[in-house]
Amino acid sequence: MAPNGRDEMQPAPVIKTDKPFLDALNGIAADRPPVWFMRQAGRYLPEYRELRAAKGGFLEMAFDPDTACEITMQPIRRFDLDAAIIFSDILTVPMALGQHLEFVQGEGPKLGELNISALNYSNFTRLNEVYHAITATKDKLKAEGHNATALIGFCGAPWTVATYMIEGGSSRDFMKSKRMMIEQPQAMSSLMNILVEASATYLINQINAGAEAVQIFDSWAGVLDSENFKRWCIKPTQQIVELVRAAHPHVPIIGFPKGAGQNSLKYAQSTGITAIGIDHTLPTEWAARTLQPVLPVQGNLDPAYLLAGGDPMIMAAEQILGDLKNGAYVFNLGHGVNKETPPENVEALVNFVKGR
Ligand code: CP3
């Protein structure tokens, strides 16, 4: 027996908090599932579009702590969600490592030529603005009475971030990235190692600044075969989890391997994450049977239902809530909010999930 009277082999008891989102991630069943949405801040909100027009561009907003805080708060004020996610982007890491980044309106991200051996930490202090935004948002949530709302930090998973760095932006078939992975595995490995270390540092700093949970977005996990999924999605994610846990053993880490299908099980078992995000292509009854016994699940309404609204949205949400009701669960979409989504639909869905 340990001096505190507990058997040393027993994990510390999980203590219920005043935040349903954190409780669900810790495996504590709540009266109702907590709810938040990926990309809950953004262009579908008129108050976001107004700020964007005033500030000029996405990066100008993301790297201005007051503005990033304000945008993070916008959906919380409207919908009183159980979690806020800091307004930033997964591509801030390559930028902080010295690769040129710009967002061309209507075209998405554009990155400069990738030179792996030139990546370095001399611009990493630019991310301090993100940490300041997190601290400001944590204070703001409290000041505005959102005491049950948790603040999420995030990063992209190395594979997903690497695809943007290699392709120079978004891609249809990821052929440049896959060719590099197959023809130059050493170079790919070096890039991954850099991203593992930088992403873990970034997450640890976000937690130091006040993030209460973190999510690792692997948006393009679904384009790899099982062997490459193990090597380039599971392994680097597992390495990040290990580094973050060493610094912050109790902060929940959500992994979101979008499109991973049946590979999600191996991911859930081997990465060490606290909870898994699932996209809408994964059957919820499979997730309930296969993933939920392993860890809490988050997801997975198709954002198209949120866009459409009305009875079809409510019925689809009801089915998901029913399928996942017997385990630890966080309601979310299967991917980000679409920019044409009427805010009224978001309000109706949140009210439904909250049982109002
Ligand atoms: O979820 C949130 O509300 C937090 C903020 C957030 C953004 N991007 C803001 C953003 C988060 C968590 C992300 C993650 C992100 N960024 C991912 C992973 C999740 C996913 O969607 O798969 C990826 C792949 C990116 C890369 C990225 N950023 C792309 C491809 C684009 C352009 C496409 C688009 O939707 O415009 C962005 C820009 C971006 N990131 C916007 C926002 C609100 C749009 C900026 C604007 O034009 O105003």
Side-chain angles (χ1 to χ4, degrees):
M1 282 290 212
N4 60 9
R6 276 195 291 114
D7 185 338
E8 256 169 327
M9 297 312 286
Q10 292 292 315
V14 176
I15 296 160
K16 201 170 176 328
T17 70
D18 52 359
K19 304 198 177 186
F21 171 72
L22 298 179
D23 286 349
L25 297 180
N26 285 324
I28 298 175
D31 310 337
R32 60 157 179 91
V35 49
W36 72 281
F37 302 116
M38 292 183 278
R39 291 283 186 100
Q40 62 193 19
R43 286 163 297 188
Y44 76 103
L45 289 176
E47 58 269 37
Y48 172 88
R49 294 195 299 268
E50 202 177 297
L51 250 183
R52 193 187 200 287
K55 298 285 171 184
F58 175 74
L59 288 175
E60 287 75 6
M61 297 193 297
F63 283 95
D64 173 19
D66 288 341
T67 307
C69 168
E70 180 61 23
I71 296 171
T72 306
M73 291 300 297
Q74 287 175 347
I76 307 305
R77 292 187 187 124
R78 271 186 187 253
F79 313 120
D80 195 22
L81 296 145
D82 293 303
I85 180 163
I86 192 65
F87 182 77
S88 184
D89 199 82
I90 65 168
L91 300 178
T92 54
V93 167
M95 193 193 80
L97 290 171
Q99 192 175 13
H100 180 76
L101 169 69
E102 57 190 303
F103 283 91
V104 183
Q105 185 136 33
E107 285 181 50
K110 297 273 175 264
L111 289 88
E113 187 83 35
L114 171 61
N115 178 354
I116 296 174
S117 57
L119 296 172
N120 68 81
Y121 281 86
S122 59
N123 282 318
F124 218 69
T125 50
R126 287 199 64 183
L127 297 175
N128 291 349
E129 307 302 338
V130 179
Y131 315 143
H132 294 323
I134 287 175
T135 304
T137 306
K138 193 80 174 291
D139 292 345
K140 193 73 128 193
L141 283 166
K142 206 166 177 191
E144 296 188 14
H146 297 284
N147 299 317
T149 301
L151 181 58
I152 306 173
F154 71 90
C155 71
W159 162 250
T160 288
V161 173
T163 67
Y164 287 95
M165 296 175 83
I166 297 163
E167 310 279 342
S170 302
S171 169
R172 207 175 279 274
D173 58 13
F174 304 93
M175 280 307 158
K176 273 174 98 173
S177 309
K178 290 186 181 183
R179 280 192 71 166
M180 183 163 155
M181 160 186 110
I182 295 165
E183 296 173 355
Q184 301 168 262
Q186 282 314 319
M188 193 66 169
S189 253
S190 318
L191 178 56
M192 286 294 179
N193 290 339
I194 294 167
L195 288 173
V196 164
E197 188 186 279
S199 308
T201 305
Y202 185 42
L203 291 181
I204 290 167
N205 290 344
Q206 291 183 60
I207 297 167
N208 291 339
E212 299 167 277
V214 292
Q215 177 155 322
I216 302 172
F217 285 87
D218 214 344
S219 303
W220 306 119
V223 306
L224 292 176
D225 63 76
S226 299
E227 277 313 305
N228 284 303
F229 178 82
K230 279 184 214 155
R231 184 163 180 193
W232 307 112
C233 293
I234 291 183
K235 184 165 163 249
T237 301
Q238 184 257 321
Q239 291 171 322
I240 292 175
V241 171
E242 208 171 287
L243 291 165
V244 174
R245 282 274 155 70
H248 294 288
H250 303 299
V251 173
I253 304 171
I254 307 166
F256 177 48
K258 182 173 151 297
Q262 295 189 22
N263 288 326
S264 320
L265 177 58
K266 186 108 198 140
Y267 179 97
Q269 291 166 330
S270 330
T271 52
I273 51 163
T274 315
I276 187 163
I278 58 170
D279 72 86
H280 43 278
T281 65
L282 202 71
T284 35
E285 52 86 22
W286 185 86
R289 192 160 24 89
T290 315
L291 298 177
Q292 243 177 351
V294 181
L295 38 61
V297 168
Q298 170 179 284
N300 76 341
L301 182 71
D302 186 334
Y305 278 100
L306 186 61
L307 176 65
D311 287 347
M313 171 180 83
I314 298 299
M315 284 160 67
E318 192 163 29
Q319 150 127 49
I320 293 169
L321 286 161
D323 282 349
L324 293 163
K325 70 171 186 296
N326 293 325
Y329 173 56
V330 175
F331 189 89
N332 205 310
L333 302 175
H335 199 196
V337 176
N338 179 279
K339 69 177 195 296
E340 311 295 338
T341 303
E344 307 79 69
N345 294 359
V346 180
E347 192 175 350
L349 182 59
V350 172
N351 286 341
F352 176 71
V353 176
K354 288 188 165 186
R356 294 200 288 232

